[in-house]
């Protein structure tokens, strides 16, 4: 059945008793309107390509009027004449993955080859930021402006995290390009926020108070992990994932396999006498527990208390330790404003203990929360103490101690497992004081500074 289609004619077409029927246009071959039993009407185009009959739905009536649909049919036929297949392209687009599907594939294929900390960070950013914002978008439809908008939005609150999200998106879309899901990476060229490399080194006094807090910590497995971090300068992930099979305690070497190091290369780390003493004590205790309960035996130095695998994190223990060490450090300086707050709380605790018939000396040191609360009430501004120290700062502190001991940058890099000299160069400024002291010694001898204005100046003769 064919007739020259018009809006009036299409509107008047009756519905079939069942199924659907197509009324074709006499002006454009293959162009017609499909009418269903429910009364729905849509313009279609039948065409043949590569020996196959295809039907393309242009759009529904009256959303599309007849004249516009006819022009669209003409354009589609021109594409078919160029050996293009509009319906195949539409099918491919419908089958194309959206960003949520891309993320799922990326997590299954790419992330398992990465370090646990990388997997954790990527998963957090992808699940909480990327998928909620872009998940429903087709991978091929994501534009540079979409990524830039996310970066600008996050930069208002968390500029560093905004940079991390762009870095993760760049990896994600590089993976998409590799698997021919799109031709380019829309995350390239995003202008990142400036980041200041944080440099925090513990002073000898801070180290002493932290060690005291470690002694009192109720969870000694985490305390030992932190002691090992302090003694070796290793990364948190390296320590927590360490197994006894990596250690040769007789020769004093820790062989970190490439899968556990950031630089993806095996790293042989020599162990100091205190480190060996700590590991030996830990091994003895682990063997004792295994003999008592064989099911508790584990090759991990720090097995997870929740089941198989290693302990996952230290953040709760670290927060507790740094707060306790901070309060103890303030208590040791009673003349300071924080020290006076601690002293007032400690005195109150001692009075309470005496009232209950206990020795006042047994009164516990105030908690960090108690000190913060009283300081706020008295409008005393508290310095951060050790609460601004991160676990990773123990690695920086390890390097600073090596510098003060006269170690060279290449030696420090070797101990830290750096493969690039530029990575260790961040510690170069720590050499300023030793270099200045050495220069002063030379100046004292050559310039006579050690003897005052009347000191004898040694004449340096040519050829001497």
């Amino acid at each position: 059945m064919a007739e020259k289609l018009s809006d009036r004619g299409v509107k008047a077409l009756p519905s079939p008793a069942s199924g659907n029927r197509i009324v074709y246009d006499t002006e454009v071959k293959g162009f017609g309107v499909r009418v269903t039993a429910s009364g729905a009407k849509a313009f279609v185009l039948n065409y043949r390509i590569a020996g196959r009959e295809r039907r393309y739905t242009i759009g529904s009536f009256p959303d599309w009027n007849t004249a516009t649909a006819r022009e669209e049919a003409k354009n589609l036929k021109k594409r078919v004449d160029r050996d293009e297949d509009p319906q195949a392209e539409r099918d491919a687009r419908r089958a194309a993955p959206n960003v949520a599907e891309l993320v799922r594939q990326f997590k299954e294929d790419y992330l398992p080859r990465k370090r646990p900390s990388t997997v954790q960070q990527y998963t957090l950013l992808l699940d909480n930021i990327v998928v909620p914002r872009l998940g429903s978008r087709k991978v091929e439809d994501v534009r540079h402006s979409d990524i830039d908008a996310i970066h600008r939005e996050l930069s208002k609150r968390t500029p560093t995290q905004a940079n991390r999200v762009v870095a993760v998106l760049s990896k994600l879309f590089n993976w998409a390009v590799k698997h021919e899901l799109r031709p380019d990476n829309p995350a390239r060229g995003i202008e990142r926020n400036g980041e200041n490399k944080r440099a925090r080194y513990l002073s000898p006094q801070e180290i002493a108070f932290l060690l005291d807090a470690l002694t009192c910590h109720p969870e000694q497995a985490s305390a030992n992990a932190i002691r090992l971090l302090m003694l070796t300068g290793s990364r948190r992930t390296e320590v927590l994932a360490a197994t006894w099979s990596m250690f040769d305690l007789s020769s004093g070497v820790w062989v970190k396999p490439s899968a556990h190091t950031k630089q993806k290369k095996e790293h042989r780390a020599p162990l100091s006498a205190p480190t060996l003493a700590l590991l030996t004590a830990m091994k003895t205790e682990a063997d004792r527990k295994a003999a008592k309960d064989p099911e508790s035996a584990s090759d991990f130095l720090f097995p997870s208390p929740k089941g198989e695998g290693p302990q996952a994190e230290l953040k709760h223990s670290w927060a507790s330790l740094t707060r306790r060490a901070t309060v103890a450090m303030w208590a040791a300086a009673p003349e300071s404003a924080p020290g006076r707050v601690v002293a007032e709380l400690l005195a109150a605790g001692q009075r309470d203990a005496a009232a209950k018939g206990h020795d006042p000396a047994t009164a516990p040191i105030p908690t960090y929360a108690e000190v913060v609360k009283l300081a706020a009430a008295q409008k005393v501004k508290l310095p951060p103490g050790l609460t601004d120290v991160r676990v990773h700062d123990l690695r920086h502190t390890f390097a600073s101690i090596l510098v003060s001991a006269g170690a060279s940058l290449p030696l420090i890099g070797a101990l830290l497992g750096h493969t690039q000299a530029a990575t260790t160069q961040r510690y170069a400024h720590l050499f300023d004081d030793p270099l200045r002291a050495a220069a002063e010694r030379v100046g004292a001898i050559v310039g006579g500074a050690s003897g005052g204005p009347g000191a004898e100046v040694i004449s340096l003769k040519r050829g001497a």
Side-chain angles (χ1 to χ4, degrees), residues 198-214:
R198 187 177 181 275
R200 178 66 163 91
Y201 308 94
L202 275 75
S203 67
Q205 181 194 36
E206 289 175 326
I207 292 173
F209 281 108
L210 181 57
L211 291 173
D212 286 345
L214 286 167

Side-chain angles (χ1 to χ4, degrees), residues 224 244 249 275-286:
N224 283 336
W244 289 112
L249 298 182
T275 308
L276 284 171
L278 171 64
L279 290 170
T280 300
M282 289 172 55
K283 181 62 173 165
T284 300
E285 179 62 15

Side-chain angles (χ1 to χ4, degrees), residues 58 76 131 176 220 280 301 321 345 365 387 402 421 428:
I58 296 173
L76 290 168
V131 171
Q220 280 299 299
T280 300
L301 272 68
L321 285 164
L345 287 167
I365 188 170
T387 61
L402 290 174

